[in-house]
Amino acid sequence: MGLLSDPNRRRALIGLLTRLNAPICVVCYMAGVAWFMGLAFEPFTLRTYMSENAMGSTMVEERFPAGERALATGREFAAHKKKTGGMPVDWLVKTMQSRGLEVFTQRFSRRLPFPDEDKERYMVKGTNVYGILRAPRAPRTEALVLSAPCTAGDHNNQAVGLLLGLAQYFRNQVYWAKDIIFLVNEHDLIGMQAWLEGYHHTNTTGMDWSPLQGRGGSIQAALSLELSSDVVTSLDLVLEGLNGQLPNLDLANLFYAFCQKIGVLCTTQGKLQRNDWDSVSGYSHAVQTMMLMAMKQASGRPWGDHGLFLRYHIEAATIKGINSFRQYKTDATTVGRLLEGMYRKLNNLLERLHQSYFFYLMSSLSHFVSIGYYMPAFGLLGVILLLRALDLWVQLASPPPRTEDGVVDAEQVSSPGVLSVLTPLAVVLTAIAVYTLLPPATRARVFYCNPVCDVRRVSLCLLKAADGSGHGAGLEGAEAGGRALPGRAAGLHRAHQLLPGLHPGSHAGARGRLRHAQRAKVTRLQRLGDRCGSVRSLTSRSSSPPRRVLSAFVLVVLSPACTLLFSVFFFQELQEMPVSFLDGWMLYLSVISQGILDHALYGSLVYPLVALLVYPCWLLFWNILFWK
């Protein structure tokens, strides 16, 4: 503290930081990237362990015997589903009732803001069917959920059959201390969202659903089962939920422990665990697994039906059966024994899972990286923005040069005019209008435009939305709204030329414009540093054409659209499923529309983050770059 309280030492420290600003930023960036990449190295990770004492041992005897009968039930379910052309509600109700469950149904409907990519439907209507197995040895204040989505075609029929087989087997056991709810939801996430809202008496998405007639206790944990084959080679654990939420790590540890006990091949992110961590290929495998988990969290979308449970503080995961080219095979009886063991351990819980981690990255099911290990890497990247803002702030705080007679030029120290805020204000208002005023279908079209985003299209969409009939005032009116393209004579970024005292022919005006640009850049850097944590920014103060062209190229590459496009191809490479450019472009458009749809249906925060923060800041950096 003495170093900062002493004015001389403080000036010396600030001078040192400004002189070495660029080298320090480069070092911080390289150190942050190296830190994050080094976390995949097994000696730097933590080995998973069970924190909850009630689940600390897998010494339970699994006796589920009815795997073949469950598969036969799944085939019967598939036949009735094909006959009815959807969810066989009546057959499911009778089948669950014959197994001694209290059976209830829930109807729901949801109008989509625009047709989805797969089925091109505006209205979604369906019915959820669920049965409750009441706890015989407890006051029925807590519950567990086992769900299986009813999907179109031949998908997930075996999962529904296994769910019904487990329901019949669990009904004959007397040790249950929690209600067990067996749920078959229609239309995947939409049906699950309707059931969860009905169960918790909330309606946050505007969906229409009928009230639930039957209800169990407070849900402690949930598992969603996806099984589309009679035999599987491995079971994949899916953890990523809505807005990057993760379940308590003990739930993943419980799954891994029973897979090890029963001898089931288990994966995460579809990748097996490798023991050659000291080799280049083993380290690369761990990096791919960890990066896949980070990218799935960053997408903000729920990667399974379990993802919607997490918003209600219910620990949940999806177990997905994979049938690949591997010779190792697992039958339905073994999968049923694994689920039986997990539910018997969850049945012993005296409180919600809370002792283990909620923020983590996994390089394999046996090793993880906690938040205390990976946050310093993001902190190092965020420091770069603060250092650049400090450098510009010091330059702004320095006294202006004096003339030959020792008089300070008044024009050089004058404050900026009122019109200097027009450009940032116009950009921010445009972003808010894109997010709030436009219908979702129009929002999707706005984000389909070129990475160097032409605001002419945005203005045209605004005019169409304001007209109400969808026709608008035409392209001429949109062009009158201005453009935000770099280097254009007309547009928002030329509004600063109207400022008083900033005539292009005067030396004082040029210096004043430079100081206004620096003030604007400080504001953008502080905003990005505070809200984003780590976003790359332009810091060049040179006005030479080569540097400007290079900076413009960097801004295009780092645009939200280009970044998302690169991420799509990178994600496919990590999954070892590379695609052509045309297929990648179609995936890119699908990701944009799906992101807007996830925000409208489930409350994903990625779209408003991009529309209200990242995209406006990117446009404002164009304004700073071409500040005359």
Side-chain angles (χ1 to χ4, degrees):
M1 294 302 295
L3 181 63
L4 297 178
S5 60
D6 188 355
N8 296 327
R9 294 181 178 179
R10 184 169 62 249
R11 282 194 295 269
L13 177 61
I14 293 176
L16 179 64
L17 290 177
T18 53
R19 287 196 306 271
L20 302 178
N21 193 277
I24 293 177
C25 290
V26 172
V27 171
C28 288
Y29 184 83
M30 296 178 63
V33 174
W35 185 300
F36 185 79
M37 298 301 294
L39 294 176
F41 193 52
E42 186 169 310
F44 297 158
T45 60
L46 298 175
R47 193 167 187 86
T48 56
Y49 58 93
M50 197 73 69
S51 300
E52 181 62 49
N53 292 331
M55 300 194 307
S57 173
T58 57
M59 295 182 64
V60 294
E61 187 177 357
E62 305 85 12
R63 299 179 179 179
F64 177 73
E68 292 299 324
R69 186 183 303 174
L71 293 178
T73 305
R75 288 189 287 269
E76 187 178 356
F77 168 78
H80 283 83
K81 184 173 69 172
K82 184 177 181 180
K83 181 179 179 180
T84 58
M87 171 86 87
V89 177
D90 295 336
W91 180 85
L92 274 175
V93 170
K94 293 179 181 179
T95 304
M96 287 187 176
Q97 288 176 346
S98 66
R99 283 157 171 75
L101 304 180
E102 297 181 14
V103 186
F104 307 93
T105 61
Q106 180 201 30
R107 298 185 180 273
F108 63 90
S109 64
R110 178 62 193 264
R111 179 176 294 276
L112 302 182
F114 58 91
D116 56 0
E117 293 290 333
D118 299 330
K119 302 179 181 178
E120 297 185 356
R121 52 188 178 179
Y122 274 102
M123 176 63 71
V124 176
K125 295 182 179 180
T127 305
N128 294 324
V129 181
Y130 64 101
I132 303 177
L133 173 61
R134 299 295 181 181
R137 301 182 60 184
R140 304 176 181 178
T141 57
E142 297 176 344
L144 303 173
V145 174
L146 176 61
S147 69
C150 175
T151 57
D154 296 330
H155 300 288
N156 223 42
N157 296 328
Q158 289 82 355
V160 177
L162 185 57
L163 178 143
L164 296 174
L166 286 170
Q168 183 175 6
Y169 175 74
F170 286 178
R171 179 67 178 82
N172 299 323
Q173 311 304 316
V174 297
Y175 44 71
W176 300 113
K178 294 177 173 61
D179 294 341
I180 301 180
I181 302 174
F182 299 90
L183 169 65
V184 180
N185 56 298
E186 194 174 5
H187 298 303
D188 300 329
L189 289 170
I190 298 178
M192 183 60 72
Q193 178 71 21
W195 189 83
L196 285 172
E197 288 185 356
Y199 195 89
H200 294 91
H201 302 288
T202 60
N203 194 335
T204 59
T205 60
M207 185 182 301
D208 295 327
W209 39 262
S210 61
L212 299 185
Q213 301 301 320
R215 190 176 181 276
S218 174
I219 301 176
Q220 305 293 300
L223 291 177
S224 178
L225 183 61
E226 296 183 9
L227 193 64
S228 300
S229 176
D230 291 353
V231 294
V232 297
T233 56
S234 62
L235 293 177
D236 188 65
L237 183 66
V238 184
L239 300 172
E240 298 81 11
L242 183 67
N243 294 323
Q245 289 181 292
L246 296 173
N248 190 273
L249 187 58
D250 273 345
L251 190 62
N253 297 337
L254 181 67
F255 170 78
Y256 179 68
F258 272 99
C259 286
Q260 294 294 103
K261 175 187 177 182
I262 299 178
V264 177
L265 206 61
C266 56
T267 63
T268 181
Q269 313 302 332
K271 296 183 178 295
L272 288 171
Q273 180 176 333
R274 297 180 54 164
N275 297 323
D276 55 341
W277 57 266
D278 53 346
S279 63
V280 176
S281 59
Y283 169 75
S284 176
H285 183 84
V287 169
Q288 292 177 14
T289 306
M290 189 174 68
M291 289 298 297
L292 276 173
M293 186 172 185
M295 294 189 70
K296 285 185 176 180
Q297 287 183 259
S299 69
R301 60 168 301 189
W303 289 82
D305 287 355
H306 75 281
L308 299 178
F309 282 90
L310 299 175
R311 72 190 310 172
Y312 295 94
H313 304 286
I314 300 171
E315 312 310 320
T318 293
I319 298 177
K320 184 182 299 184
I322 298 176
N323 189 4
S324 63
F325 58 87
R326 300 186 182 99
Q327 296 181 355
Y328 186 88
K329 301 294 182 181
T330 300
D331 57 7
T333 301
T334 305
V335 178
R337 290 173 54 207
L338 183 141
L339 292 172
E340 177 196 354
M342 293 185 65
Y343 274 86
R344 289 191 62 177
K345 297 305 293 185
L346 292 171
N347 182 64
N348 295 336
L349 285 177
L350 300 178
E351 53 188 348
R352 292 181 180 271
L353 294 174
H354 68 282
Q355 297 189 29
S356 191
Y357 297 88
F358 289 94
F359 302 96
Y360 52 87
L361 294 174
M362 303 190 75
S363 57
S364 67
L365 281 175
S366 62
H367 290 82
F368 74 101
V369 180
S370 68
I371 186 173
Y373 281 55
Y374 64 76
M375 279 307 296
F378 295 100
L380 288 170
L381 297 179
V383 164
I384 298 175
L385 300 174
L386 300 180
L387 289 176
R388 299 306 301 171
L390 175 64
D391 184 26
L392 295 173
W393 176 76
V394 170
Q395 296 182 30
L396 290 173
S398 61
R402 299 175 179 272
T403 60
E404 296 180 356
D405 55 356
V407 179
V408 178
D409 193 346
E411 291 185 348
Q412 298 182 11
V413 297
S414 61
S415 60
V418 176
L419 294 179
S420 63
V421 300
L422 282 183
T423 302
L425 182 61
V427 171
V428 171
L429 290 178
T430 301
I432 295 176
V434 169
Y435 174 71
T436 58
L437 299 182
L438 301 184
T442 310
R443 297 179 199 169
R445 289 196 295 270
V446 169
F447 280 88
Y448 287 161
C449 61
N450 192 280
V452 184
C453 187
D454 195 341
V455 176
R456 176 175 55 182
R457 300 186 182 182
V458 179
S459 303
L460 179 60
C461 295
L462 286 172
L463 291 172
K464 288 183 178 180
D467 181 63
S469 62
H471 299 288
L475 185 59
E476 293 79 5
E479 290 178 346
R483 302 175 181 177
L485 279 175
R488 299 286 181 90
L492 298 175
H493 70 276
R494 297 295 298 273
H496 60 269
Q497 293 186 352
L498 301 176
L499 296 180
L502 297 183
H503 191 273
S506 64
H507 174 73
R511 183 175 181 82
R513 285 190 297 274
L514 177 60
R515 296 178 71 84
H516 292 330
Q518 290 175 344
R519 290 191 183 97
K521 192 181 293 185
V522 170
T523 305
R524 309 302 170 259
L525 288 171
Q526 288 176 342
R527 182 181 180 187
L528 286 174
D530 293 338
R531 300 187 184 182
C532 294
S534 58
V535 176
R536 296 167 295 278
S537 60
L538 281 178
T539 56
S540 173
R541 290 183 300 273
S542 173
S543 60
S544 60
R547 291 290 296 273
R548 184 170 295 177
V549 172
L550 178 60
S551 299
F553 174 75
V554 173
L555 264 182
V556 171
V557 172
L558 298 181
S559 65
C562 283
T563 302
L564 180 59
L565 181 61
F566 299 152
S567 299
V568 169
F569 284 98
F570 184 57
F571 184 79
Q572 293 298 122
E573 290 291 337
L574 290 177
Q575 286 191 315
E576 299 179 359
M577 294 187 299
V579 294
S580 63
F581 180 79
L582 182 59
D583 294 337
W585 179 258
M586 298 305 297
L587 281 174
Y588 164 73
L589 298 180
S590 176
V591 166
I592 293 178
S593 61
Q594 188 63 43
I596 301 176
L597 192 63
D598 288 342
H599 172 64
L601 295 181
Y602 316 118
S604 174
L605 299 178
V606 173
Y607 168 70
L609 176 67
V610 174
L612 299 178
L613 179 63
V614 179
Y615 181 69
C617 288
W618 179 74
L619 288 181
L620 290 173
F621 275 123
W622 280 113
N623 175 254
I624 295 170
L625 178 63
F626 287 92
W627 202 295
K628 298 283 186 178

